[in-house]
Amino acid sequence: MRIAVMGAGSLGTIIGAYLSKGKKQAVDLIDVNQEHVDALNKSGATIVGTVEETIPVTAITPAEMNGVYDLVLLLTKQVYNDQVLVNLRQYISEESIVLSLQNGVPEEGLAAELGEKRVVGGSVEFGATWIKPGVSELTTAAESFKANAFQIGELDGSITERAEKLRDVLNLVGGTEISTNLIGTKWSKLLVNVAMSGTSTVFGCTYGDVLANDTAVTSAVMLADETLEAGQASGVEFTSIAGIDVAKTFKINKDKSNLSEVISMARKVFEPQALLRASMLQDLEKHRKSEIDYINGEVVAKGKETGTPTPFNDLLVHWVRKAEDEKSVPVFEESLVPFKQLIEKNI
Ligand SMILES: NC(=O)C1=CN([C@@H]2O[C@H](COP(=O)(O)OP(=O)(O)OC[C@H]3O[C@@H](n4cnc5c(N)ncnc54)[C@H](OP(=O)(O)O)[C@@H]3O)[C@@H](O)[C@H]2O)C=CC1
Ligand SMILES: CC(C)(CO)C(=O)C(=O)O
């Protein structure tokens, strides 16, 4: 099988490295960062953090792509999908599979662009941070990465031979399961990103800082609840993620009578990830456009479509877009002010 890892950044460096290990298939790590590509070819892909390993890989820039790939792992940020797909079209056939492992719910758009038959979806259950050319950090405990790295699935939830084949390939990286409810799986991961990555971004802090502050953590669970409301109103059946049934855990009663219980659960569930900083926050720090439109913005869009109010997500998207426009990084105490006001109005 000839595999393209499209976007060998934080995640792609690690995934591409483990797929290349043992040379079981031909794998190209493809990235626009020439310095990174050169370092990968010269010294291999170095994984630091919860594992320490260097694996020889083949890396190229998009301009050096050639021939046809059987499998493309889409690991660029969704923000760049339009330009990535224009290039990619030249290197896929009718039989090629494009597996998006991006956060958010890009599958529908990809199927419209590339044809439903070519697209398989997936969700990544570990974290990674690009450190420098050739080096990426695994930020999830190694045992948990080996046990639960991916959930993948066909858009219609069927278990097909190709999904089983993809599972076997991804098992070379970390534990992979086939989801029979891909949209539910993607929305369940979306809920975590909306609540925790959204707040980590808008407050400019770690997950731990969010959990430790009453206004920030209350905002996080309100964001999660809006995700459940908007998702369920559009027919999403939420699933479990890392063993947590998200619909049961994060549902806030209309009269808010269980709010403090939900906050306690959020603190317990996310405490092991206290050191994480959202990749969207890292985008703001690099003065880049973040994936906010595809994360919290997805909830706002579904809320509009279904007539579900999403005031916390509206406010968060507004503040993150403002930071993008101003090329600034949110300051914790400043961002707390409007969220405190919204909580006083709504709770
Ligand atoms: N990092 C994480 O912990 C997790 C990330 N995800 C999701 O996975 C996806 C990838 O995230 P992440 O690995 O963090 O992203 P990164 O930005 O670290 O990696 C993407 C890489 O793609 C490169 N790139 C940009 N444009 C192109 C292009 N046209 N062709 C080829 N390469 C290109 C970027 O180069 P340059 O930087 O120079 O632009 C970068 O090296 C996102 O959707 C994210 O939400 C999901 C779970 C966890
Ligand atoms: C940090 C992590 C892994 C949270 O689940 C993530 O998905 C992100 O911020 O993009």
Side-chain angles (χ1 to χ4, degrees):
M1 186 183 271
R2 188 162 185 251
I3 303 176
V5 176
M6 201 67 201
S10 308
L11 287 182
T13 300
I14 296 175
I15 294 170
Y18 283 121
L19 288 177
S20 305
K21 200 173 174 177
K23 297 195 165 60
K24 290 201 176 75
Q25 55 257 317
V27 183
D28 285 342
L29 279 68
I30 304 164
D31 204 277
V32 286
N33 182 340
Q34 183 73 58
E35 231 192 306
H36 182 43
V37 166
D38 291 344
L40 288 169
N41 285 324
K42 187 166 173 243
S43 311
T46 298
I47 307 165
V48 296
T50 56
V51 301
E52 300 277 335
E53 196 164 356
T54 297
I55 299 166
V57 296
T58 301
I60 57 172
T61 61
E64 294 170 303
M65 288 170 76
N66 64 77
V68 167
Y69 290 98
D70 303 304
L71 170 63
V72 177
L73 300 182
L74 201 51
L75 280 161
T76 42
K77 293 271 167 79
Q78 271 207 65
V79 177
Y80 308 112
N81 272 9
D82 286 349
Q83 71 191 66
V84 170
L85 293 189
V86 168
N87 182 44
L88 191 59
R89 280 176 187 286
Q90 307 166 68
Y91 307 106
I92 53 175
S93 70
E94 279 306 311
E95 280 71 44
S96 302
I97 301 168
V98 178
L99 168 57
S100 166
L101 293 168
Q102 297 166 315
N103 277 333
V105 197
E107 287 74 13
E108 214 177 286
L110 291 172
E113 283 294 321
L114 299 170
E116 215 161 292
K117 201 178 135 251
R118 281 196 181 119
V119 179
V120 175
S123 182
V124 175
E125 307 208 340
F126 61 95
T129 306
W130 188 83
I131 302 291
K132 62 178 186 181
V135 185
S136 188
E137 177 187 3
L138 181 64
T139 52
T140 299
E143 314 78 65
S144 136
F145 163 69
K146 279 292 157 202
N148 302 300
F150 306 103
Q151 289 198 46
I152 58 159
E154 296 284 358
L155 304 195
D156 66 4
S158 56
I159 297 196
T160 57
E161 215 172 287
R162 71 173 183 173
E164 289 176 329
K165 208 162 157 192
L166 287 181
R167 176 193 55 199
D168 294 345
V169 170
L170 287 177
N171 267 330
L172 298 170
V173 180
T176 306
E177 270 180 28
I178 297 179
S179 168
T180 53
N181 171 11
L182 179 76
I183 295 304
T185 298
K186 294 289 296 195
W187 268 80
S188 302
K189 172 75 198 282
L190 180 71
L191 179 143
V192 173
N193 284 131
V194 164
M196 295 309 299
S197 306
T199 46
S200 162
T201 307
V202 81
F203 295 118
C205 65
T206 63
Y207 280 22
D209 298 326
V210 170
L211 299 176
N213 179 280
D214 286 343
T215 299
V217 74
T218 304
S219 304
V221 298
M222 293 300 288
L223 290 159
D225 187 58
E226 288 179 7
T227 312
L228 287 173
E229 290 282 326
Q232 285 169 340
S234 45
V236 174
E237 285 176 36
F238 285 81
T239 60
S240 288
I241 185 145
I244 310 290
D245 180 333
V246 297
K248 274 204 188 120
T249 310
F250 296 108
K251 186 76 217 111
I252 299 175
N253 298 335
K254 286 266 174 282
D255 62 4
K256 313 282 188 292
S257 54
N258 65 339
L259 179 64
S260 56
E261 230 171 274
V262 176
I263 289 175
S264 300
M265 275 309 286
R267 285 187 161 132
K268 191 167 151 211
V269 167
F270 295 117
E271 186 51 40
Q273 291 162 2
L275 296 179
L276 281 189
R277 302 172 86 249
S279 58
M280 290 193 290
L281 175 57
Q282 295 168 43
D283 289 330
L284 293 188
E285 286 167 343
K286 290 181 200 149
H287 298 160
R288 287 182 173 191
K289 213 170 150 30
S290 73
E291 288 184 306
I292 197 70
D293 289 348
Y294 308 97
I295 308 280
N296 300 77
E298 178 72 28
V299 176
V300 171
K302 276 288 178 278
K304 281 211 177 95
E305 248 175 69
T306 57
T308 312
T310 57
F312 282 82
N313 278 285
D314 296 349
L315 179 65
L316 193 141
V317 170
H318 169 77
W319 271 73
V320 174
R321 283 203 191 129
K322 187 165 167 288
E324 285 178 354
D325 291 346
E326 291 170 355
K327 302 211 180 304
S328 65
V329 179
V331 175
F332 192 72
E333 293 299 334
E334 279 174 23
S335 299
L336 282 179
V337 177
F339 281 91
K340 203 163 187 214
Q341 286 165 354
L342 188 61
I343 289 169
E344 277 159 12
K345 212 168 113 192
N346 281 268
I347 299 174

